[in-house]
Amino acid sequence: MNQVIDQLSSRKSIRQFTGDSVKTEDLELIIKTAQRCPTSINGQQISLVYTKDKEKIKQIAELCGGQEQVATADVFIAIVVDFNRTIFAVEQAGEKHVIERSAEGVLVGAVDAGIMLNAIQVSAESLGYGTTAIGAIRNEPEAMIKLLGLPPKTFPIVGTTIGVSTKDAKDASRYLSDKARWPK
Ligand SMILES: Cc1cc2nc3c(=O)[nH]c(=O)nc-3n(C[C@H](O)[C@H](O)[C@H](O)COP(=O)(O)O)c2cc1C
């Protein structure tokens, strides 16, 4: 067993936070590791939009169906499929940008976003924080796009909370992972 395997084996969504802050240097590290993720045809069609603004996080939580664990997180990161950025490169090459209108665009965006979500969560958890993926970011897409101030040809596909886990939430996750490993 190494540390990575141990961490991945004991991971769990954390929905109870102490209200303590995620350190700025930790958030920078988390985002830096996410930027190292592979992307389909190296298109880099994912942008990250993060906020620590408590009022904005509360509004995000409301749009996600009133999820309390979102409202009480210290950081929210929206993972955005960003074909606004790719259009510049495609048009410079004299081509027509059509991927955002195709099923291929949806698939590329979803796969790349999932890879990045995982990197963000694994990095955050390795630094001792708790996270939960938030698919409900798509509940009210137009309102979410407006709240995040996103340009055309972008879509917030999934998000994640980051915060300092309460002891109870952490212990519960450890208990589950110990149980899962117990037969070995
Ligand atoms: C793409 C995705 C979207 C999710 N959306 C939400 C969500 O909106 N709210 C939430 O509380 N949990 C959400 N989850 C977390 C799942 O409910 C959770 O991973 C699952 O129940 C398994 O629990 P575990 O993560 O503790 O192992 C999401 C997970 C994924 C992968």
Side-chain angles (χ1 to χ4, degrees):
M1 190 76 83
N2 64 42
Q3 274 185 334
V4 176
I5 299 290
D6 194 37
Q7 183 193 322
L8 290 173
S9 308
S10 58
R11 69 144 297 282
K12 188 183 181 291
S13 297
I14 295 291
R15 298 186 176 86
Q16 282 144 16
F17 300 111
T18 62
D20 291 336
S21 205
V22 173
K23 288 186 199 146
T24 304
E25 60 265 36
D26 288 346
L27 188 55
E28 278 172 7
L29 273 178
I30 291 164
I31 288 171
K32 264 191 193 153
T33 55
Q35 286 170 333
R36 290 297 307 152
C37 285
T39 58
S40 309
I41 62 158
N42 197 21
Q44 302 180 28
Q45 45 262 325
I46 302 291
S47 290
L48 300 177
V49 178
Y50 79 86
T51 182
K52 280 182 91 70
D53 180 317
K54 297 294 162 278
E55 198 42 51
K56 194 165 256 184
I57 290 177
K58 277 193 188 133
Q59 290 173 290
I60 291 171
E62 272 312 302
L63 291 178
C64 291
Q67 296 195 40
E68 186 60 16
Q69 77 273 15
V70 175
T72 52
D74 187 55
V75 177
F76 188 86
I77 303 183
I79 298 167
V80 178
V81 179
D82 188 348
F83 290 127
N84 186 286
R85 186 145 47 120
T86 52
I87 200 167
F88 291 108
V90 171
E91 286 184 350
Q92 259 187 2
E95 300 287 338
K96 207 163 182 307
H97 189 277
V98 290
I99 191 166
E100 80 279 10
R101 283 186 247 146
S102 66
E104 176 64 7
V106 177
L107 295 172
V108 159
V111 170
D112 290 3
I115 291 170
M116 206 167 276
L117 168 68
N118 195 240
I120 292 168
Q121 293 194 315
V122 169
S123 300
E125 286 156 15
S126 78
L127 293 166
Y129 299 107
T131 68
T132 293
I134 304 295
I137 191 174
R138 300 187 302 272
N139 275 10
E140 297 190 47
E142 281 174 20
M144 187 62 75
I145 285 167
K146 196 167 170 215
L147 178 62
L148 298 175
L150 299 177
K153 298 186 195 297
T154 59
F155 187 75
I157 193 164
V158 70
T160 183
T161 56
I162 308 178
V164 177
S165 174
T166 62
K167 194 174 174 312
D168 280 357
K170 221 177 194 172
D171 287 352
S173 86
R174 196 160 292 136
Y175 167 71
L176 282 174
S177 77
D178 286 348
K179 227 171 90 176
R181 275 188 261 138
W182 180 74
K184 293 177 196 164

